[in-house]
Amino acid sequence: MRTIQGSLIVCSFINIILGFSRVWGGLTRLFSPIVIVPVVSLVGLGLYARGFVLLGNCVEIGLPMLILLVVSQQYLKHVHLRTKFIFERFALLFCIGIVWAFAAILTAAGAYNNVKSQTKDSCRIDRASLISDAPWIKIPYPFQWGTPVFEASHVFGMMGAALVTSAESTGTFFAAARLAGATPPPANVLTRSIGLQGIGMLLEGFFGSLVGTTASVENVGLLGLTRIGSRRVVQISTAFMIFFSIFGKFGAFFASIPLPIFAAIYCILLGIVAAVGITFLQFANNNSMRNIYVLGVSLFLGISISQYFVSKSTPTGGGPTRTGAGWFNDIFNTIFSSAPTVAMIVGTLLDNTLDARRTSEDRGLPWWERFQYKHGDNRTEEFYSFPLLIREYIPTRFH
């Protein structure tokens, strides 16, 4: 934990520098709809292992959750006009409660007493004594695990992860904007978001978090599922998360939800994110063979290269890149294990070098370019301005 703390603290400055120096915003101006399609799509598809692969570890819980969610959220809402709002907004909560109770009944009845350990971990709600071992109250404080340890091998690996989070979060931002009915985020919004993400990672290093910060792909899918895109919802959710982190029994209670229930939800949410990436095709020429080439190569290599690096990874942190420089190996292996990051690199290179000047209209640039600048569209201020109280304390150059 102390080593993770040290790595997070050091690597947070990568996102902070990339964001607040506006370097990341400059890079995003190289994007076009043709680049965004594979990036956003692979943000969803790249997490396929969290879907039916996990659901299959406990089919009797995961599959009913998947079927119940689809039926209640998409079909039952059409039964009556008054039920539309209820099922569209709250079907997910109802389904979780019903299947969670079903899993509790199976656990109490002894259905998982004589099964494999993997099945127990996936199906039981009382695994690892979560609730009994959790403290009632535990207030997190800086460096609670001790003085951070800074080891080069871990730091360089985390540096690659920091770059990956920047790429994947950018794809998530575009997906969120599309599902919320907003204009594509301009460069100044993307770059400040990466900078703020770095600040979040720095705080996590101070407080001893197990992982760093990245945009939540699942929450973006949830935005599309429930059609709720209010900032107030995010703020209230943040308050709940802080509450659960302090009052451990309550957090452990919700942590007892079997993973196949979440896997069933991911099958829907990640699919929505992958599909919303495809919708960006409407802003470019779908009949252009040049565009088809860039899209196809970016999508395939994004999946294929990342899968190669993941399959060649070892439990000790090694990978297919084995040069004499260990720091280079760690960064390179981490970056190319991310499907959206590989798609972003390949797509940006091909889209900006392959007959780029003569095909600007086919690439959708006449429509796209006005959204890349702060004042390019009148709606940008409405969608992306800071909340009033925060806006007063942030320099205008970061707005």
Side-chain angles (χ1 to χ4, degrees):
M1 287 302 301
R2 293 163 60 197
T3 303
I4 293 174
Q5 275 188 274
S7 302
L8 285 174
I9 290 171
V10 173
C11 296
S12 65
F13 289 98
I14 293 179
N15 283 1
I16 291 173
I17 293 171
L18 283 176
F20 292 121
S21 67
R22 300 187 178 183
V23 171
W24 191 257
L27 292 174
T28 60
R29 289 198 172 100
L30 297 174
F31 297 167
S32 73
I34 300 300
V35 178
I36 295 300
V37 171
V39 173
V40 175
S41 295
L42 291 187
V43 163
L45 294 178
L47 299 175
Y48 70 91
R50 296 187 186 182
F52 210 90
V53 177
L54 286 181
L55 185 154
N57 292 333
C58 190
V59 178
E60 62 270 27
I61 291 177
L63 194 58
M65 177 65 194
L66 178 60
I67 296 173
L68 190 60
L69 180 58
V70 173
V71 172
S72 61
Q73 215 269 343
Q74 296 297 322
Y75 291 94
L76 292 184
K77 70 177 182 180
H78 297 298
V79 171
H80 194 277
L81 186 62
R82 293 182 180 180
T83 63
K84 181 177 181 179
F85 176 83
I86 296 175
F87 282 110
E88 191 171 71
R89 299 291 192 273
F90 304 109
L92 180 61
L93 295 178
F94 295 153
C95 294
I96 290 175
I98 293 171
V99 180
W100 191 7
F102 176 60
I105 293 172
L106 291 178
T107 301
Y112 304 115
N113 291 343
N114 301 307
V115 295
K116 296 185 296 183
S117 58
Q118 183 183 20
T119 304
K120 287 184 178 180
D121 293 339
S122 299
C123 301
R124 297 183 68 93
I125 67 167
D126 58 352
R127 60 190 185 280
S129 304
L130 279 173
I131 299 177
S132 60
D133 292 346
W136 278 104
I137 299 177
K138 181 178 176 60
I139 300 177
Y141 56 90
F143 307 122
Q144 57 185 317
W145 307 112
T147 305
V149 175
F150 301 94
E151 292 187 2
S153 59
H154 290 82
V155 169
F156 285 119
M158 195 72 78
M159 283 183 177
L163 294 173
V164 166
T165 61
S166 299
E168 294 186 353
S169 293
T170 299
T172 307
F173 298 150
F174 277 101
R178 184 82 180 126
L179 288 170
T183 57
N188 68 299
V189 172
L190 294 171
T191 196
R192 83 183 182 202
S193 299
I194 298 301
L196 291 171
Q197 185 171 285
I199 292 176
M201 192 181 298
L202 179 63
L203 292 174
E204 287 168 337
F206 286 152
F207 283 89
S209 174
L210 185 62
V211 294
T213 298
T214 186
S216 173
V217 182
E218 296 86 349
N219 282 348
V220 173
L222 191 62
L223 189 158
L225 185 69
T226 63
R227 301 184 183 180
I228 298 176
S230 171
R231 288 182 177 179
R232 186 59 53 86
V233 173
V234 177
Q235 294 164 355
I236 294 174
S237 300
T238 302
F240 272 107
M241 294 176 71
I242 295 174
F243 175 85
F244 291 140
S245 69
I246 296 175
F247 299 95
K249 292 290 186 184
F250 295 97
F253 175 71
F254 286 99
S256 68
I257 301 175
L259 288 178
I261 292 180
F262 291 112
I265 299 171
Y266 291 158
C267 289
I268 305 298
L269 302 187
L270 299 180
I272 291 174
V273 175
V276 82
I278 300 174
T279 65
F280 283 94
L281 271 174
Q282 65 184 297
F283 307 120
N285 183 0
N286 300 335
N287 295 318
S288 168
M289 192 59 212
R290 181 256 183 206
N291 289 350
I292 293 174
Y293 181 89
V294 174
L295 282 171
V297 173
S298 302
L299 279 169
F300 187 84
L301 290 184
I303 296 173
S304 185
I305 292 177
S306 61
Q307 184 60 35
Y308 169 77
F309 273 79
V310 170
S311 65
K312 296 296 182 180
S313 298
T314 63
T316 58
T321 306
R322 298 185 179 91
T323 66
W327 62 270
F328 178 81
N329 298 342
D330 293 336
I331 295 176
F332 201 84
N333 289 330
T334 303
I335 290 175
F336 284 90
S337 295
S338 166
T341 306
V342 175
M344 181 178 289
I345 294 171
V346 174
T348 303
L349 286 174
L350 290 177
D351 191 48
N352 287 276
T353 58
L354 187 60
D355 202 17
R357 291 185 179 181
R358 293 195 304 107
T359 57
S360 60
E361 289 190 6
D362 287 346
R363 297 164 64 198
L365 292 183
W367 175 86
W368 182 262
E369 285 179 340
R370 63 192 176 102
F371 298 114
Q372 294 182 319
Y373 298 92
K374 182 177 180 180
H375 301 294
D377 188 89
N378 295 330
R379 297 165 292 177
T380 300
E381 184 71 16
E382 174 190 353
F383 292 133
Y384 299 109
S385 61
F386 281 113
L388 182 61
L389 295 178
I390 298 178
R391 186 181 180 87
E392 293 176 354
Y393 298 100
I394 294 181
T396 55
R397 65 179 178 273
F398 295 132
H399 285 186

